[in-house]
Amino acid sequence: MADILDELQWRGLIAQHSDIDELRKALNEGSISFYCGFDPTAASLHHGHLVAVKMMRHLQMAGHRPIVLVGGATGLIGDPRPKGERSLNTRETVAQWTQALRDQLESLLDFEGPNAAITVNNLDWTQGMNTIDFLRDLGKHFRMGTMLSKDIVARRLQSDEGISFTEFSYQILQANDYLELYRRYGCTLELGGNDQWGNIVGGMDLIRKVEGTNVHVLTNQLITKSDGTKFGKTEGGAVWLNPQMLSPYKFYQFWLNTADADVIRMLKVFTFLSREEIEKLEVEVAERPHARQAQRVLADEVTTWVHGAEATARVKDASSVLFGKKDPQEVDADTLRDAVAELPSVEASLGTSVQDVLVSLGFEKGRGAARRTIASGGVAINNVKITDEERALEASDVLGSSLILVRKGRKNMAVIRLI
């Protein structure tokens, strides 16, 4: 088997690490337990979290055991942001979000087999700790100079708002998580985003001071585009994994719209395709960029991983409708609605003439022109050509409960939304 660190490095996943030779030795000598933490600061994970999860899955496939930590305790506090204090969410909200993230994460890793993943909640060991225990058993191992020098803390201290003791204490709570998982499960590696480096090192140092043991840390790259800007966000906001917050159709389109300059890197980071498969797609991008084959594979792979093969198939069916290649009656209503959301639209009622619809949409300047276009076979309702000049909207045209698709020629397509 290829060295797992070399594989992660080739995929562009590794940013910083503790002693790399010792870490490599530990990973090659046998199965280890490792963890990554996810705080419930929203009702869903987003695509950025997939980088850490992907690293976890690669390590799991190499024979190591993942521990998925959902921060029911740290989510009540919130790690310091570069600008301004976080708004504290209610305990009920954090509990709901904790369960939501737990459900998502349990669908992305393997929870069966000899190195099956396990899920833990740091509220289980944090909520019973009193202030004296926190100060005596944990606080005494942290030096103020070190804590104040953390990059994010230093920046906040220089800001007008400063930083509260609540957020300042976050790094101690996260360090304690690593200590607890070391004691409970023999966990010897913590993963996290590169922006968490200071907090992650704190846990490694705490274990060394308290237990006299050297453990490891490893951070993943924060993914950016070729121009250095952040890789993320749709027009509607974050690229959520929750299908109620971002539909599978829009999720698929986000990946499909990846630039040629970025798509090979994204295939390495976000898919499990082999080097050979990715290298073939790299040739495709160079020789036939207009085909966008690499983008299609990327969208297929990530959407299937997150939402499942059936959702991916529905999304592709909906896309086929837009290109006139599939009967829209065969596509489920919700996916079709997402697919046509950005198309021009007009409101009309059953019985409205197609001539009037074409004029209202601006596809024709008047009824006479609309009549001639219909008679010549230039108009389709739900991808079926019509030639009856007096054709009106009928109940049998309705898709789902309220949509009808109208197309003029190949390029002009719109949605009729029934009143």
Side-chain angles (χ1 to χ4, degrees):
M1 181 182 291
D3 184 280
I4 183 59
L5 288 181
D6 288 345
E7 177 72 13
L8 296 176
Q9 192 75 55
W10 175 78
R11 290 182 177 274
L13 287 167
I14 295 177
Q16 298 184 79
H17 48 74
S18 52
D19 189 321
I20 193 68
D21 293 329
E22 285 300 313
L23 176 56
R24 190 185 303 275
K25 181 180 177 182
L27 291 169
N28 289 336
E29 284 182 345
S31 179
I32 69 166
S33 293
F34 65 93
Y35 98 96
C36 185
F38 301 85
D39 274 352
T41 54
S44 172
L45 299 172
H46 56 71
H47 75 297
H49 293 110
L50 289 177
V51 182
V53 180
K54 185 66 72 170
M55 186 181 278
M56 295 179 78
R57 184 70 181 114
H58 280 295
L59 284 165
Q60 184 178 33
M61 291 166 64
H64 306 289
R65 182 174 70 152
I67 301 170
V68 180
L69 184 147
V70 183
T74 42
L76 290 167
I77 304 302
D79 60 325
R81 297 185 302 177
K83 296 180 180 180
E85 288 277 322
R86 290 182 181 274
S87 297
L88 297 182
N89 296 301
T90 66
R91 292 177 182 271
E92 293 75 15
T93 296
V94 172
Q96 291 172 3
W97 290 354
T98 297
Q99 187 59 52
L101 265 59
R102 184 171 188 150
D103 291 343
Q104 286 182 329
L105 289 160
E106 289 181 353
S107 72
L108 297 172
L109 292 164
D110 189 354
F111 281 77
E112 297 180 355
N115 58 329
I118 61 173
T119 309
V120 297
N121 182 345
N122 59 15
L123 189 64
D124 292 343
W125 56 78
T126 305
Q127 64 182 343
M129 184 184 300
N130 61 41
T131 306
I132 298 299
D133 291 339
F134 177 79
L135 295 174
R136 281 179 58 89
D137 298 340
L138 292 178
K140 72 186 299 275
H141 297 291
F142 289 81
R143 293 293 172 262
M144 288 298 295
T146 303
M147 296 178 71
L148 290 168
S149 68
K150 304 288 186 188
D151 180 59
I152 192 69
V153 173
R155 275 189 281 167
R156 284 285 296 278
L157 286 172
Q158 292 170 6
S159 69
D160 293 337
E161 188 171 356
I163 186 170
S164 69
F165 179 74
T166 300
E167 289 193 2
F168 181 65
S169 301
Y170 182 93
Q171 56 188 298
I172 300 179
L173 294 179
Q174 182 170 335
N176 186 53
D177 288 342
Y178 197 176
L179 176 62
E180 281 291 333
L181 294 177
Y182 170 79
R183 288 171 169 170
R184 293 178 183 223
Y185 303 104
C187 178
T188 56
L189 171 63
E190 179 179 0
L191 307 180
N194 201 37
D195 55 345
Q196 288 289 310
W197 175 254
N199 291 338
I200 291 175
V201 170
M204 179 180 71
D205 291 342
L206 179 63
I207 292 172
R208 179 176 50 79
K209 290 175 182 177
V210 174
E211 300 290 338
T213 302
N214 290 322
V215 293
H216 309 284
V217 295
L218 184 65
T219 62
N220 60 259
Q221 297 280 7
L222 302 180
I223 304 303
T224 58
K225 294 188 289 188
S226 56
D227 61 5
T229 59
K230 189 174 181 180
F231 178 71
K233 302 254 180 174
T234 64
E235 290 184 5
V239 187
W240 300 112
L241 307 192
N242 184 327
Q244 276 71 54
M245 297 171 68
L246 183 74
S247 71
Y249 182 85
K250 291 180 179 178
F251 184 84
Y252 185 94
Q253 292 298 316
F254 168 78
W255 300 100
L256 191 62
N257 290 329
T258 303
D260 289 344
D262 299 317
V263 68
I264 298 303
R265 284 192 306 115
M266 300 313 160
L267 283 165
K268 291 178 180 179
V269 171
F270 291 102
T271 78
F272 295 106
L273 296 180
S274 67
R275 295 192 187 203
E276 292 75 18
E277 290 171 311
I278 292 175
E279 285 168 358
K280 286 180 181 177
L281 289 168
E282 192 167 11
V283 173
E284 281 281 325
V285 173
E287 296 181 351
R288 300 174 61 245
H290 59 279
R292 299 187 67 77
Q293 181 61 20
Q295 283 87 344
R296 295 178 193 281
V297 172
L298 175 64
D300 280 7
E301 292 286 323
V302 183
T303 306
T304 298
W305 184 40
V306 172
H307 294 297
E310 289 187 9
T312 303
R314 288 196 297 269
V315 165
K316 293 168 77 173
D317 284 346
S319 297
S320 295
V321 168
L322 299 188
F323 289 101
K325 297 178 180 179
K326 192 172 184 68
D327 182 354
Q329 298 282 3
E330 298 176 11
V331 179
D332 76 276
D334 289 340
T335 305
L336 182 63
R337 189 175 298 110
D338 291 328
V340 303
E342 306 302 321
L343 293 178
S345 66
V346 65
E347 291 187 341
S349 57
L350 294 180
T352 301
S353 72
V354 177
Q355 294 177 26
D356 289 339
V357 168
L358 295 174
V359 173
S360 296
L361 285 166
F363 285 180
E364 296 292 356
K365 293 183 178 180
R367 290 173 58 87
R371 185 181 298 109
R372 289 189 293 274
T373 301
I374 295 170
S376 66
V379 176
I381 296 295
N382 297 337
N383 289 341
V384 178
K385 283 187 178 181
I386 62 171
T387 55
D388 180 359
E389 302 168 21
E390 304 304 323
R391 175 74 149 79
L393 302 180
E394 303 170 354
S396 59
D397 296 328
V398 181
L399 304 171
S401 60
S402 61
L403 301 180
I404 300 173
L405 303 183
V406 59
R407 183 191 302 272
K408 178 196 168 186
R410 290 185 176 182
K411 297 183 178 180
N412 297 308
M413 189 172 188
V415 183
I416 303 166
R417 302 185 186 278
L418 292 183
I419 299 173

